[in-house]
């Protein structure tokens, strides 16, 4: 009886959910985003960038692929910032909604398992923001629009060594979150390679959602480190920086690309001024298409786009470029997906709002990192560009 | 023993679903939802053993799930797949076919041993103090995994997909789904047998009055130990299966939030009601999937529905009863013999 | 030595928050035997209400208060208004979700699940209403850093610690000396005899929720002043940990909540300071496990004799 009930409910569910996607004159692209969970703002800004692009493209008459013109149709799924939910959302997009390709997930925790799914279902996926090497490793259908952790870390190490003459460094990071954890370890490796073993004098950790870092920061302040590296998200950075200053830290603090993905200055205020971080692009002093993007986004949503928005924008445009290059879709989903993947893999150079990217065979872009300084007006000022 | 009608029906349903899966009659999304339902059935009915039948308040079930998931995954990847960490496979990959249930079981045994961490303090502690101990165990498990860099730490562990792939390459069948059906069947059968045995009666006696139970000659320590180990062991099996559905696990998937989800399923179904647990696992999982389009509002609507449900049925869907108590005619479906009492 | 004193101060501040939140758990538990898991989220609501009150008072919206006040006064007003409003939220929750259930005689664990659900609604309702971007609590008290030798302390830190101690003394007095406080203790002592004595149980329960929620609000505003980043999920983790603190102290005991809160704060801070901080949670929770194995009812908890 139990099973009968289960069967009945499943059948009901199938009929309810099986809205068989009509392959009309629209291009269906799926988005796998964290709308709830720990980083809802990441999902929100990705969605905003996507909506803006959709309006722009559809307003201009759609995407011309070969002889046909298609309207964009975006399907958003919430992955709740959970690995299992991201996988389920992925399968739903691929098999229920029958999307052509997928943008997202953003954070590596979801992008790594979801990439596995996309690859085994031979659906092209571009993660705009996941910097974990495993996301694209040995997965021909998975691409990304940002650089990798092992590249970013040496950039930060070289920058602090040359700019501040740092010989000893301290690091504070979240051990339970794989992005900060990976980056902190890469930073340690790179720093010790340059300055010898033991040159990272304090390597302190905390756990996701902690707000008090006083014990760790006390250790860091008492150590004789020359610079503090904080590879954290923008929600924790103001707390860390403020508490460090309260505990008497006066030396420089260096950050990573996750700093730029939110309203850092609104949360941090004066404490963050004069600090540096590596990132994907710098909104201040941008030119050309980057400036155009920033202006339009700010006009529409009333704030400067963060790096997630910019990378999502680039990822979608990259995908559209590949779709255009197919010179006509057949309507057979499996073949079209393969064609799009092949075209994605063929793109060698791409001019995005986050800079020029060239793709390696693994689906990872080679692009320049930017070091920005937070100036006295609280803007992210371009300071230095570091290319591989 | 003659197989009961319930068992036959379950086997038939399983075969139908598996056939559909094999011939692509249902798409992968529906498949994964069915698999998650299976996992949730194991989790909620095994937690019901502790929270329902024994009347304790365990809120760290995800910790045991993590232990099982990691042990089974590491064993499988180490034995049957070539991996950066563990090197080439020790056994031919196709042998995963036969040894997968063994590793799954070892994962379950590992989780059962972790269950001792809760079982031993439970001899002296009850109620909310024991709840804290289960919480602490959940934190300890998560934090330990995060600190072992060899198995990926916070970055998680993967490679299970290769194992599953080598199984399908040997014989082309949906193996993970098969093992989920088998495990769900065994779990439900095992728990039903357990709660109807003298141990089960002992558990209920402990819930109602521990001291009286002890005076009446119930070996409370032994029963607590076995109940905790069985419950956490089953959670471990569920974890192992979960890991092989996703092909990727990380400690962040096994937090208190996950434990809370399982707890909600138990109380939604009704304490000490096995059929309630099974039903609520099905309903809850489907509800979460069906309400996906609501995005942010989903997590407002679902709890609201549950609160309203609680207001109208404060004892959960089934209360303290089984399906066969509500519809006595069903009894012959579940039992081979007529009940003696 | 500096190092030790500095961490002592850090631990006192951090423990204060645990203590203030644990108090809400303990009060409600003492009277209702209900683990109010929504309490962490009431703390979050308190911080958000505090944020809106404070930004309103400093004139961030179109309507301004017609006269200027010094920031310290604004802070005090913020705290008081927030406490009143949050107490309203707590009481509403009691009336809407818990009381009907209680009347129907539901098992106490079903109440716990209802509380968990209420917490989820508060979190995600906030997310849906206010959006995902975090808020920064305005700096009403200009930060002053004092330094003695190698020990650094800010005025906010001192304020937090002193307020917590005062609140503790006040509450002890309320519970021991006032009629309502005595009624609360009576209910936790014998819940069956009390209604027979003509004590209005519902009034006492409402009073308990007012007390607990306003303490959570106080904690919320102080927390926002010390850690000025607000987000919808801020109450979840600290709520669970404060619950742990309440139980370690001996749940149902006001002294227990304070001692347990400070104890948890000390363990967390000192493990992070003197051991590899990667092992913080591991060591902290092992200590807890061992402690509870030896003292199963917490520090002040009394093992109740069970009648057969």
């Amino acid at each position: 009886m139990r099973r009968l009930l289960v069967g009945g409910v499943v059948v009901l569910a199938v009929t309810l959910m099986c809205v068989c996607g009509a392959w009309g004159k629209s291009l269906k692209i799926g988005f796998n985003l964290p709308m709830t969970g720990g980083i809802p703002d990441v999902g929100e800004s990705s969605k905003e960038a996507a909506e803006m692009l959709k309006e722009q493209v559809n307003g201009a008459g759609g995407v011309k692929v070969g002889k046909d013109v298609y309207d964009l149709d975006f399907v958003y799924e919430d992955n709740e910032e959970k690995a299992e939910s991201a996988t389920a959302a992925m399968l739903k997009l691929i098999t229920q909604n029958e999307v052509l390709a997928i943008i997202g997930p953003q954070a590596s925790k979801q992008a790594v398992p979801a990439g596995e799914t996309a690859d085994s279902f031979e659906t092209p996926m571009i993660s705009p923001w996941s910097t974990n090497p495993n996301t694209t490793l040995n997965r021909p259908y998975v691409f990304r629009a940002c650089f990798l952790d092992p590249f970013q870390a040496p950039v930060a190490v070289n920058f602090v060594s040359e700019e501040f003459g740092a010989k000893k460094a301290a690091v504070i990071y979240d051990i339970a979150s794989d992005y900060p954890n990976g980056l902190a370890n890469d930073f340690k490796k790179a720093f010790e390679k340059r300055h010898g073993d033991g040159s990272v004098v304090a390597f302190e950790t905390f756990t996701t959602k902690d707000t008090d870092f006083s014990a760790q920061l006390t250790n860091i302040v008492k150590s004789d480190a020359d610079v503090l590296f904080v590879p954290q998200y923008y929600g924790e950075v103001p707390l860390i920086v403020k508490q460090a200053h309260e505990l008497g830290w006066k030396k420089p603090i260096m950050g990573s690309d996750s700093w730029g993905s939110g309203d850092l200055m609104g949360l941090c205020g004066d404490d963050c001024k004069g600090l540096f971080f590596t990132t994907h692009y710098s909104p201040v002093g941008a030119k050309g298409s980057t400036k155009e993007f920033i202006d339009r986004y700010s006009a529409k949503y009333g704030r400067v786009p963060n790096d997630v928005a910019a990378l999502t924008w680039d990822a979608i445009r990259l995908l559209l470029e590949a779709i255009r290059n197919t010179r006509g879709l057949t309507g057979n989903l499996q073949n079209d997906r393969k064609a799009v993947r092949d075209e994605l893999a063929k793109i060698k150079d791409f001019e995005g709002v986050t800079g020029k990217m060239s793709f390696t065979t693994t689906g990872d872009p080679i692009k320049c990192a930017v070091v920005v300084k937070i100036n006295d007006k609280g803007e992210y000022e371009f300071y230095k560009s570091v290319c591989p | 023993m003659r197989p009961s009608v319930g068992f036959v029906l379950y086997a038939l349903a399983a075969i139908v679903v598996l056939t559909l899966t094999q011939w692509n009659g249902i798409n992968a999304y529906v498949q994964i939802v069915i698999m998650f339902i299976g996992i949730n059935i194991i989790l909620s009915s095994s937690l019901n053993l502790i929270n329902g039948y024994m009347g304790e308040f365990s809120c760290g079930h995800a910790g045991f799930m993590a232990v099982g998931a990691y042990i089974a995954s590491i064993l499988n990847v180490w034995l049957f797949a070539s991996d950066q960490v563990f090197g080439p496979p020790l056994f031919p990959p196709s042998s995963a076919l036969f040894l997968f249930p063994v590793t799954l079981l070892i994962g379950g045994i590992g989780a059962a041993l972790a269950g001792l961490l809760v079982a031993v303090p439970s001899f002296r502690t009850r109620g909310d103090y024991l709840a804290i101990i289960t919480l602490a165990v959940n934190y300890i498990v998560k934090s330990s995994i995060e600190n072992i860099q060899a198995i990926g730490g916070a970055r998680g562990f993967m490679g299970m997909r290769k194992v599953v792939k080598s199984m399908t390459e040997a014989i082309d069948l949906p193996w993970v789904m098969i093992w989920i059906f088998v495990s769900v069947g065994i779990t439900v059968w095992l728990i039903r047998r357990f709660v109807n045995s003298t141990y089960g009666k002992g558990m209920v006696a402990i819930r109602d009055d521990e001291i009286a139970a002890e005076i009446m000659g119930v070996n409370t320590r032994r029963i607590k130990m076995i109940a905790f180990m069985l419950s956490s062991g089953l959670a471990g099996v569920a974890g192992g299966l979960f890991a092989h559905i996703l092909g990727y696990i990380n400690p962040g998937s096994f937090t208190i939030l996950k434990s809370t989800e399982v707890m909600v399923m138990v109380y939604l179904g009704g304490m000490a009601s096995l059929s309630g647990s099974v039903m609520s696992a099905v309903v809850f999982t489907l509800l979460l999937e069906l309400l996906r389009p609501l995005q942010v509002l989903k997590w407002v609507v679902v709890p609201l529905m549950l609160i309203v449900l609680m207001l109208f049925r404060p004892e959960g869907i089934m209360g303290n009863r089984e399906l066969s108590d509500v519809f006595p005619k069903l009894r012959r479906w579940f039992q081979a013999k007529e009940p003696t009492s | 030595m500096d190092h030790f004193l500095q961490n002592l101060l850090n631990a006192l501040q951090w423990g204060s928050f645990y203590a203030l939140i644990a108090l809400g758990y303990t009060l409600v538990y003492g009277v209702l035997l209900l683990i109010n898991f929504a309490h962490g989220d009431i703390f979050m609501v308190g911080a958000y209400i505090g944020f809106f009150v404070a930004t309103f008072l400093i004139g961030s919206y179109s309507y301004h208060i017609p006269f200027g006040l010094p920031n310290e006064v604004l802070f005090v007003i913020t705290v008081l208004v927030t406490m009143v409003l949050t107490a309203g939220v707590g009481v509403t929750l009691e009336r809407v979700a818990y009381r009907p259930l209680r009347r129907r005689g539901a098992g106490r664990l079903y109440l716990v699940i209802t509380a968990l659900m209420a917490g989820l609604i508060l979190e995600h309702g906030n997310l849906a209403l206010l959006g995902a971007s975090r808020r920064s609590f305005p700096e009403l008290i200009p930060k002053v850093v004092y330094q003695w030798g190698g020990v650094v302390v800010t005025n906010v830190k001192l304020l937090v610690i002193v307020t917590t101690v005062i609140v503790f003394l006040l509450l002890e007095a309320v519970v021991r000396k006032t009629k309502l406080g005595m009624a609360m203790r009576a209910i936790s002592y014998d819940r069956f005899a009390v209604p027979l004595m003509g004590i209005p149980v519902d009034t006492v329960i409402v009073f308990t929720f007012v007390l607990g929620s306003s303490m959570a609000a106080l904690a919320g505003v102080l927390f926002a002043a010390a850690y000025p980043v607000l987000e919808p999920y801020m109450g979840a983790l600290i709520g669970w940990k404060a619950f742990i603190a309440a139980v370690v102290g001996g749940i149902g005991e006001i002294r227990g909540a304070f001692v347990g809160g400070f104890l948890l704060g000390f363990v967390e801070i000192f493990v992070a300071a003197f051991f590899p901080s990667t092992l913080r949670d591991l060591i902290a929770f092992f200590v807890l496990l061992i402690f509870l194995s030896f003292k199963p009812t917490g520090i002040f908890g009394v093992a109740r004799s069970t009648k057969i």
Side-chain angles (χ1 to χ4, degrees), chain C residues 73-190:
Chain C
V73 179
L74 288 184
F75 187 77
V76 174
I77 298 175
T78 305
V79 169
L80 294 177
V81 173
T82 308
M83 280 167 81
V84 172
L85 292 176
T86 315
V89 175
V91 172
T92 312
L93 198 64
E94 203 274 326
R95 287 302 291 266
V96 174
Y98 304 152
R99 190 181 287 184
L101 264 181
R102 218 168 49 239
R103 290 269 158 83
R104 298 186 56 130
R108 71 183 191 95
L109 290 177
Y110 290 99
L111 276 163
V112 171
I113 296 299
T114 307
L116 274 173
M117 293 297 111
L120 279 179
I121 291 179
L122 288 178
E123 280 171 21
H124 292 93
N126 179 342
L127 191 64
L129 276 178
L130 301 176
S133 49
R134 294 167 202 221
R135 313 268 163 162
S136 170
F137 194 77
E139 221 171 72
L140 282 179
I141 310 169
K143 199 159 276 173
V144 186
V145 179
Y146 308 102
Q147 186 153 14
W148 299 299
V151 181
V152 189
V153 64
T154 59
N155 49 351
V156 174
K157 209 170 235 179
L158 290 176
L159 176 77
V160 169
I161 299 168
V162 171
T163 314
T164 308
V165 173
I166 293 175
V167 162
F168 167 61
L169 296 174
L170 259 172
L171 270 179
E172 274 284 328
V174 166
V175 173
R176 304 225 165 262
K177 300 277 156 54
T178 64
K179 261 191 176 163
L180 271 169
M182 279 192 264
M184 279 167 62
R185 284 193 297 145
I187 291 183
S188 73
Y189 191 74
D190 190 334

Side-chain angles (χ1 to χ4, degrees), chain B residues 154-171:
Chain B
R155 288 214 143 166
F157 183 80
M158 58 191 297
M160 287 76 86
R161 188 76 61 162
K162 288 182 212 154
V163 179
V164 176
K165 214 172 158 191
S166 60
M167 278 158 66
T168 40
E169 270 163 14
I171 298 177

